Amino acid sequence: MRLPSASKLDMYAACDGPWFLPMPPEPPPSGAAAEKGKAIHAHMEKGTIPSGAGRTDVERAILAESDLPPWEPIEGVPARELVVRWNPETNEAQIVGAYDANPRPWPDREGWIYGIADLTGRSGSHLLVSDLKTGSVEWLTMPWDGWQTKWLTAVVHKALKWESNAYACIVSSEAQRAWCQEWTPLNLEFALDFWSTRWRAVAAGQRYIKVGSHRSEERRVGK
């Protein structure tokens, strides 16, 4: 059974088809927007600003991060590009480490759901987990609406055995601002319970297939 990455959780939540569809033989080539996003993430991770092309993009990302609640690093936890994983069968959450030391492809992908937290720290007694988005504002999914940031926060919270509340945040370089949602430990445990339940249902052979908009359009026009 195919397990999602954190960035694919919204798609898997909407339809069980992706759980058992075969992987493509090769990933599709990334477009200009994706390459731009990778470059911004790389500079944010290293704390650098390009001198030429891309300087404005990185400066906008830095300005957007300044909208986060005040935070500081957690001792022993990489603040940038933190790879985490969670096992839906055992409910075990683990900190894998910094991305530059743990590049894709992830090991043990069949048993674990992996994700990358762009920024991880503490804000007072709160855990803070942030996801940097570099695309168009109209495509943003707020931390209270989507699964990616909430799941990342829940896994980091569980792996660190954090006892107090957490901030799950989305940072938009295009909007030059951040949005945060506060979650309690119980909220975050419920989020992981949802995915454990969903995983067990799919593993038991239950299927919920939602027809996509492109298929609906084909049927409407008689294709």
Side-chain angles (χ1 to χ4, degrees), residues 83-87 92-96 106-109 111-115 151 155-156 159:
V83 180
V84 298
R85 67 178 188 174
W86 174 72
N87 189 311
E92 182 181 3
Q94 294 181 354
I95 300 294
V96 178
W106 312 124
D108 304 324
R109 182 63 185 272
W112 300 84
I113 296 176
Y114 280 78
W151 181 90
V155 173
V156 176

Side-chain angles (χ1 to χ4, degrees), residues 43 48-56 58:
H43 282 289
T48 57
I49 300 177
S51 58
R55 180 182 181 90
T56 300
V58 175

Side-chain angles (χ1 to χ4, degrees), residues 6-91:
S7 62
K8 301 297 184 184
L9 289 173
D10 286 310
M11 179 177 69
Y12 278 62
C15 178
D16 286 332
W19 291 90
F20 54 88
L21 290 175
M23 292 285 285
E26 293 184 6
S30 55
E35 291 301 317
K36 172 184 171 181
K38 288 179 183 178
I40 295 173
H41 277 81
H43 282 289
M44 296 296 287
E45 179 184 2
K46 298 173 184 176
T48 57
I49 300 177
S51 58
R55 180 182 181 90
T56 300
D57 295 329
V58 175
E59 289 177 338
R60 289 167 69 92
I62 293 172
L63 181 60
E65 273 198 357
S66 70
D67 196 36
L68 288 170
W71 67 277
E72 60 184 4
I74 301 168
E75 185 177 356
V77 179
R80 296 282 182 179
E81 302 293 319
L82 179 67
V83 180
V84 298
R85 67 178 188 174
W86 174 72
N87 189 311
E89 182 177 14
T90 64
N91 198 27

Side-chain angles (χ1 to χ4, degrees), residues 133-202:
K133 301 298 186 184
T134 60
S136 173
V137 175
E138 65 179 306
W139 296 108
L140 282 178
T141 300
M142 292 294 105
W144 50 85
D145 289 330
W147 275 108
Q148 182 178 7
T149 310
K150 186 174 185 179
W151 181 90
L152 287 168
T153 305
V155 173
V156 176
H157 192 280
K158 187 175 186 65
L160 295 180
K161 297 181 173 58
W162 206 270
E163 295 183 352
S164 56
N165 290 4
Y167 292 131
C169 303
I170 289 288
V171 173
S172 168
S173 60
E174 288 297 305
Q176 300 180 54
R177 63 158 298 182
W179 294 265
C180 295
Q181 172 68 46
E182 183 176 5
W183 298 110
T184 67
L186 189 59
N187 292 147
L188 297 172
E189 193 60 39
F190 282 161
L192 296 182
D193 285 344
F194 171 88
W195 285 103
S196 287
T197 301
R198 192 63 172 267
W199 176 85
R200 291 190 181 95
V202 176

